[in-house]
Amino acid sequence: MRSISYLHKMILFGILLSTLPILLAGIAAILYSMNQTELHRMQTNKQLLLHMQTSVEHKLNTISYMLDQATRSPITLQSLSATLPGTLTTANQLQSEFQHMRSWEPLMDITLVNEAQDWLVDHAGLYLNTDFPLALPMRDLLSKTLTSGWQLIPSSVFKHNAQDFPSGCNYHIVLGRSISHMNAPADSALIGGIPACSLHHSIVSESVDMDMSASELIIVNREQRILVHPDPMYIGQPLSAVNMEDIESKMDMSELLSPNASAASKEYHEVRIADTEYSLTFTKTPLKGWTYILITPMNVLSQEYVEIGLYTLSVGVILLLLSILFVWLGSRRLHVPIRNLLSQLGITDRVLLNQKLRQSFFPSQDEFEQIKTHITQLSASRSQMEYKLNQYVLQTRTQYMINMLQGKCPPGMLYQNLIELGYSDHLIQWQQMAVLTLQTDLASQTKYDHHDLDLLLFAVKNIVEESIDKDRQLLPIIVEQTVVTVIGSIKLDNSVFSNELYEITELLHNRVSEVLNLQLNIRFSQPYSSFSEIHLAYIEALKLLQQQTIPGANVKQNEEASIYSSLWTQPYPESLEYRLMQSIQSADEAKASVLLQQLLQRVSHMEWTEEEYQVALTRLLMHILQMMQESGIRLGQISSGHSPMINELLALQTAADIEQWFIYRIIRPVIGIFRERQYTQHQQISERMIAIIHQEYDTDLTLEECACRLHYNASYLSTVFSKETGYAFSEYLSQYRFKMARKWLDETELTIKDIAARLRYNNPQNFIRSFRKWEGITPGQYRERREKPLRSSMK
């Protein structure tokens, strides 16, 4: 399978990298635009609904205003107080006034009714009851309009002549005004109304300029009877007859718009009417109790969404094409350094063509894989070369070290050769140097034989090289079954340098013993101040090594080096002894046993004579006895009936016996005395603290106050009290306070508030909660439970 070139990978990655942001930005733009369009539509619907509401209420207010003016008109009052012939005389004046009122609202119908004289007048003329029977229930209408305002009544009320009403418009929205005048009859009124269907047509036609011609208006009164509807057949019917179903809640809008419905606070709904979806916006007028509902088909919004999506898609395609062009040009530009690097590595177009011809037999590689292959080959070649050079340098250093130790290096070329081998810092910093020789001791063990000698010498050489810093030694070498190295120091003091040499020998002995389980013979020469004297130091170290010595690293130099022998003296482990004394005084037997074992091991490994060893043991015994005396422990408390301790100690032969003697004869009895003292002291302290609690439980008692009285540390008192009683100080104090609370609830008539105050509770509720936590019931329930048996026994 042919591999895709890196150039093509860059182009594909760039296309994907540019496509994803464009795609996400397009989706985000569409969603944001749809959301903003929907919000804009909702705001527009609210504005349109407010406009329609204002227009409707303006028409109705105009009618109400004209009715109010007509009731106070002198012509109206004169016509009601006149006799029938006088009424006939003023009928023309009333008709003229009504015609003038209709000029403000052409569709308005106005009727003046005189129920006492059985006649009425409208804009068309005068009608007697004998000619036109009064079909209007005057009293009911007036009572409703005066109390509830506008009413929806059949249009037949105004059909007392051959008036033409719009087709299907069977209802009027009317308002009545009674006329109260001293000369007018009591049953006289003015009735004004407008066809219900005319409101919708006029309001919607006025809203065409707002680009909402597709929206429809529905008005219902407080009884949810439809006052205005696009379809006149629904006027007068209840809102439930429209079958508007809320898509979200699946409920009828008549239920959601009822006064008691909680969903009525949501002013925007999506509804379904006869399988058609609409967006619904409504508002309620508190004065009339009417509800104005505006519905808009959802396909209008869907069309706007499609337009937004097409526009966003076109912009995204243009941006995508531009990004592809820029990716192609940019990738070609970025690929130039890679082509130059391939050319530097000898991978030309001709070589690439030959690789393509062989791709059926070998897997093809992209540019970076080819570069990686060549760099790997170069790295391998470099590693091989560095290895060979390091081997050469190592061999050169080894041979030069042999020549220098044997004195074969010309003095004039010595320093120059050392600088060339990388020892220039050593030449500058070292003030004195010595030769260190090491030989393995195979005679002291049976794990290795002489066939393993070469490997052991090589391992020891590596340990020496790793254990000593490079700035303190020259390259260790193996010469005639001996590991030899040169140790240098920047110090001029011979004693300091000798001490460093002994530390190095001790370190090498421990490392070889730990890693190889092998003993070493280690010798070093006296310090010399010049590299030209290294061969003399080597001869001296070999002579010391050939002398009869004790196997191991604890080596003594000859008499010529006796001035350094005092440096071998190792100090007595006073820190371990001090920690041992502290553990005995604290009655920690386990820790004391461990520290004793460590101290005895440290003493046994020191290069001391038998007398010095006995002095160290005697010193330990005397210090323990001195600590006992200072602590007030008499010797007779642990040695009654025994022989003198010093004689017992000096009679012991092995380290194990000495350790057991110290533990069972000295340390354990002394720890027992200290432990008994601690128990007695702790018991006394806890008893005094308990007494303080029992006496002062009703005060603001704290652990710090007890510590101040008893002259102890607060943390120490807390540890002692919890150890002796098993409770913390605060827990014991709380328990005793609740014990007293139960006693007071049982034996006294104290109120819960008083008990809480005595027990230092700032709030009785806190006391009740704490009591319930301890007892499982409240203090009142506890007292009631205790009083029930008493009342029953009294009965």
Side-chain angles (χ1 to χ4, degrees):
M1 181 178 179
R2 182 179 177 183
S3 177
I4 302 176
S5 66
Y6 189 76
L7 175 61
H8 294 160
K9 290 180 180 178
M10 291 172 60
I11 294 173
L12 291 176
F13 178 75
I15 292 174
L16 292 176
L17 191 63
S18 59
T19 301
L20 184 61
I22 293 174
L23 180 62
L24 294 178
I27 294 174
I30 291 175
L31 294 176
Y32 179 79
S33 301
M34 291 172 63
N35 186 33
Q36 293 299 317
T37 301
E38 187 173 357
L39 292 176
H40 175 70
R41 177 62 62 180
M42 292 174 59
Q43 293 176 358
T44 304
N45 286 344
K46 289 182 179 180
Q47 294 177 0
L48 178 61
L49 185 60
L50 179 61
H51 172 72
M52 291 182 174
Q53 177 184 348
T54 304
S55 299
V56 171
E57 292 181 355
H58 177 71
K59 288 179 178 292
L60 299 181
N61 290 335
T62 300
I63 296 173
S64 176
Y65 174 78
M66 288 188 291
L67 287 177
D68 292 335
Q69 293 297 323
T71 56
R72 294 190 294 270
S73 173
I75 299 175
T76 303
L77 298 175
Q78 182 180 358
S79 64
L80 294 176
S81 60
T83 58
L84 183 59
T87 301
L88 296 176
T89 303
T90 60
N92 293 331
Q93 297 178 355
L94 288 173
Q95 292 174 10
S96 299
E97 186 174 353
F98 291 167
Q99 287 293 346
H100 176 70
M101 295 170 64
R102 282 172 63 88
S103 65
W104 292 92
E105 186 59 47
L107 297 179
M108 180 176 65
D109 291 305
I110 303 176
T111 303
L112 175 60
V113 180
N114 191 337
E115 192 177 5
Q117 298 184 12
D118 293 337
W119 57 267
L120 60 86
V121 178
D122 61 6
H123 65 279
L126 174 65
Y127 300 93
L128 300 177
N129 188 36
T130 55
D131 298 331
F132 178 69
L134 186 63
L136 179 66
M138 178 60 65
R139 297 184 182 277
D140 294 338
L141 176 62
L142 290 178
S143 63
K144 289 182 179 179
T145 56
L146 291 175
T147 57
S148 301
W150 294 88
Q151 297 295 318
L152 182 69
I153 63 173
S155 298
S156 58
V157 172
F158 298 98
K159 290 183 180 180
H160 44 74
N161 59 0
Q163 298 186 63
D164 293 328
F165 293 95
S167 177
C169 191
N170 299 322
Y171 286 90
H172 268 59
I173 299 176
V174 300
L175 181 67
R177 287 286 188 267
S178 61
I179 301 175
S180 299
H181 194 266
M182 57 185 302
N183 297 324
D187 295 331
S188 301
L190 269 172
I191 302 173
I194 189 171
C197 55
S198 64
L199 283 176
H200 180 271
H201 297 303
S202 60
I203 297 304
V204 172
S205 61
E206 293 175 2
S207 303
V208 173
D209 297 335
M210 301 183 65
D211 195 21
M212 293 296 292
S213 58
S215 300
E216 302 291 348
L217 177 66
I218 300 175
I219 303 176
V220 296
N221 59 11
R222 57 170 54 90
E223 291 83 15
Q224 289 198 346
R225 287 189 64 193
I226 298 176
L227 303 178
V228 177
H229 194 278
D231 190 356
M233 65 175 293
Y234 287 103
I235 297 177
Q237 298 186 27
L239 182 60
S240 59
V242 183
N243 293 324
M244 284 192 301
E245 181 186 18
D246 182 66
I247 297 177
E248 181 180 358
S249 61
K250 304 299 182 181
M251 296 177 62
D252 193 89
M253 286 302 300
S254 61
E255 299 177 6
L256 296 176
L257 294 177
S258 62
N260 298 326
S262 60
S265 59
K266 182 180 178 182
E267 297 181 357
Y268 178 81
H269 293 266
E270 291 183 3
V271 298
R272 183 181 290 107
I273 304 175
D275 298 332
T276 304
E277 294 182 358
Y278 295 84
S279 63
L280 182 145
T281 306
F282 74 94
T283 183
K284 293 185 177 181
T285 58
L287 185 60
K288 297 184 180 65
W290 291 5
T291 302
Y292 291 78
I293 303 172
L294 183 69
I295 58 175
T296 304
M298 294 295 291
N299 56 6
V300 176
L301 296 176
S302 301
Q303 185 177 0
E304 294 180 359
Y305 297 159
V306 171
E307 293 176 359
I308 293 172
L310 292 176
Y311 178 78
T312 306
L313 179 62
S314 61
V315 174
V317 170
I318 294 173
L319 293 176
L320 181 60
L321 294 176
L322 291 175
S323 64
I324 291 174
L325 177 61
F326 290 147
V327 165
W328 172 261
L329 297 176
S331 300
R332 296 281 298 180
R333 183 72 176 175
L334 293 174
H335 194 257
V336 172
I338 299 175
R339 296 177 67 89
N340 295 335
L341 183 58
L342 290 173
S343 178
Q344 291 293 330
L345 294 174
I347 307 174
T348 61
D349 294 336
R350 185 175 180 179
V351 175
L352 294 175
L353 180 60
N354 294 334
Q355 289 182 356
K356 292 179 181 178
L357 294 176
R358 298 195 304 268
Q359 66 181 0
S360 58
F361 302 96
F362 301 97
S364 180
Q365 297 177 331
D366 63 12
E367 294 89 329
F368 275 97
E369 291 174 346
Q370 294 171 1
I371 294 173
K372 178 182 177 181
T373 301
H374 283 72
I375 292 178
T376 303
Q377 294 174 358
L378 292 175
S379 178
S381 301
R382 179 181 177 181
S383 299
Q384 293 177 1
M385 185 176 295
E386 289 179 351
Y387 177 76
K388 292 180 180 179
L389 289 175
N390 290 333
Q391 292 295 323
Y392 175 77
V393 172
L394 181 61
Q395 293 175 3
T396 304
R397 285 184 175 181
T398 302
Q399 186 61 40
Y400 187 81
M401 285 291 299
I402 293 175
N403 294 336
M404 185 174 62
L405 293 173
Q406 294 177 355
K408 296 180 180 181
C409 294
M413 299 295 296
L414 177 63
Y415 291 93
Q416 182 64 30
N417 292 335
L418 287 173
I419 292 174
E420 292 177 355
L421 293 176
Y423 294 126
S424 58
D425 293 336
H426 299 69
L427 290 172
I428 298 174
Q429 298 176 2
W430 283 8
Q431 302 297 325
Q432 52 184 344
M433 60 211 70
V435 173
L436 189 69
T437 57
L438 303 92
Q439 284 185 351
T440 59
D441 185 11
L442 297 180
S444 62
Q445 49 81 42
T446 59
K447 183 177 180 181
Y448 304 103
D449 55 23
H450 291 281
H451 298 287
D452 301 323
L453 182 59
D454 293 335
L455 293 176
L456 290 175
L457 289 173
F458 182 78
V460 171
K461 171 182 170 297
N462 291 335
I463 292 174
V464 172
E465 186 176 5
E466 295 173 358
S467 301
I468 305 174
D469 296 336
K470 293 183 178 180
D471 58 349
R472 299 181 63 187
Q473 69 168 334
L474 300 183
L475 178 68
I477 60 174
I478 300 175
V479 182
E480 297 177 354
Q481 299 182 355
T482 303
V483 178
V484 183
T485 186
V486 179
I487 306 298
S489 175
I490 61 175
K491 305 294 181 58
L492 291 174
D493 191 352
N494 290 340
S495 61
V496 174
F497 182 42
S498 298
N499 192 24
E500 292 178 356
L501 291 175
Y502 283 114
E503 291 177 357
I504 291 173
T505 57
E506 191 72 15
L507 173 65
L508 294 177
H509 169 72
N510 294 334
R511 290 292 301 276
V512 172
S513 177
E514 177 182 355
V515 176
L516 301 177
N517 194 17
L518 185 68
Q519 297 294 325
L520 288 179
N521 293 327
I522 305 176
R523 294 295 180 268
F524 54 84
S525 67
Q526 293 183 8
Y528 290 85
S529 59
S530 175
F531 280 88
S532 60
E533 298 175 328
I534 291 297
H535 66 285
L536 300 177
Y538 173 64
I539 294 172
E540 178 183 350
L542 283 180
K543 287 182 179 180
L544 293 174
L545 193 63
Q546 291 171 0
Q547 294 177 2
Q548 184 178 1
T549 57
I550 301 175
N554 298 324
V555 183
K556 296 182 181 179
Q557 299 290 345
N558 56 8
E559 289 78 3
E560 296 176 356
S562 60
I563 56 174
Y564 307 115
S565 60
S566 60
L567 297 173
W568 281 105
T569 304
Q570 299 185 26
Y572 180 81
E574 294 181 357
S575 61
L576 279 176
E577 183 187 84
Y578 175 77
R579 292 165 57 192
L580 176 61
M581 298 300 175
Q582 293 292 324
S583 62
I584 294 174
Q585 288 179 332
S586 60
D588 192 346
E589 184 177 347
K591 185 177 181 180
S593 300
V594 173
L595 291 174
L596 175 66
Q597 184 180 11
Q598 294 177 359
L599 189 147
L600 293 179
Q601 288 180 355
R602 180 75 64 84
V603 171
S604 64
H605 283 81
M606 292 181 180
E607 187 182 0
W608 283 345
T609 62
E610 182 178 357
E611 289 80 5
E612 291 174 333
Y613 184 69
Q614 290 178 349
V615 169
L617 296 178
T618 305
R619 175 180 177 178
L620 175 61
L621 176 61
M622 292 300 103
H623 286 178
I624 295 177
L625 295 178
Q626 181 182 358
M627 180 266 296
M628 290 171 51
Q629 185 180 10
E630 292 175 353
S631 301
I633 302 175
R634 292 178 299 145
L635 185 62
Q637 294 180 256
I638 62 173
S639 64
S640 178
H642 293 275
S643 59
M645 291 185 179
I646 188 66
N647 295 336
E648 294 181 7
L649 176 61
L650 297 178
L652 299 175
Q653 299 297 325
T654 64
D657 293 339
I658 292 173
E659 180 181 351
Q660 295 296 320
W661 185 84
F662 269 105
I663 291 177
Y664 292 100
R665 185 72 173 83
I666 305 296
I667 295 177
R668 184 169 291 181
V670 174
I671 287 178
I673 295 173
F674 277 114
R675 187 173 293 163
E676 184 178 356
R677 285 185 176 182
Q678 286 183 358
Y679 175 77
T680 304
Q681 183 184 16
H682 292 177
Q683 190 175 20
Q684 292 176 355
I685 292 174
S686 62
E687 289 177 353
R688 293 179 64 183
M689 292 178 69
I690 291 173
I692 293 174
I693 292 174
H694 289 181
Q695 294 173 4
E696 304 179 20
Y697 65 92
D698 55 349
T699 64
D700 295 328
L701 185 63
T702 62
L703 179 63
E704 288 72 16
E705 185 177 352
C706 289
C708 183
R709 293 185 186 181
L710 300 179
H711 306 287
Y712 285 101
N713 183 271
S715 60
Y716 174 74
L717 285 186
S718 177
T719 303
V720 171
F721 190 83
S722 60
K723 184 178 179 180
E724 291 296 323
T725 63
Y727 298 98
F729 178 83
S730 59
E731 185 179 3
Y732 187 90
L733 178 60
S734 298
Q735 284 190 357
Y736 189 78
R737 283 176 174 175
F738 281 109
K739 177 181 177 181
M740 296 304 299
R742 290 193 297 268
K743 180 178 179 182
W744 289 336
L745 289 172
D746 292 338
E747 300 176 359
T748 67
E749 298 296 331
L750 291 173
T751 63
I752 296 175
K753 182 177 180 180
D754 294 338
I755 295 175
R758 287 193 176 189
L759 296 181
R760 318 307 295 175
Y761 280 93
N762 297 328
N763 189 349
Q765 295 299 325
N766 295 336
F767 168 69
I768 294 173
R769 282 194 293 268
S770 300
F771 193 91
R772 181 185 297 170
K773 179 180 178 182
W774 283 94
E775 297 294 331
I777 56 177
T778 63
Q781 294 172 343
Y782 180 85
R783 174 170 281 175
E784 183 179 357
R785 188 178 64 179
R786 298 288 295 181
E787 290 177 352
K788 283 183 179 180
L790 295 175
R791 289 197 296 265
S792 60
S793 62
M794 292 175 64
K795 291 180 180 181

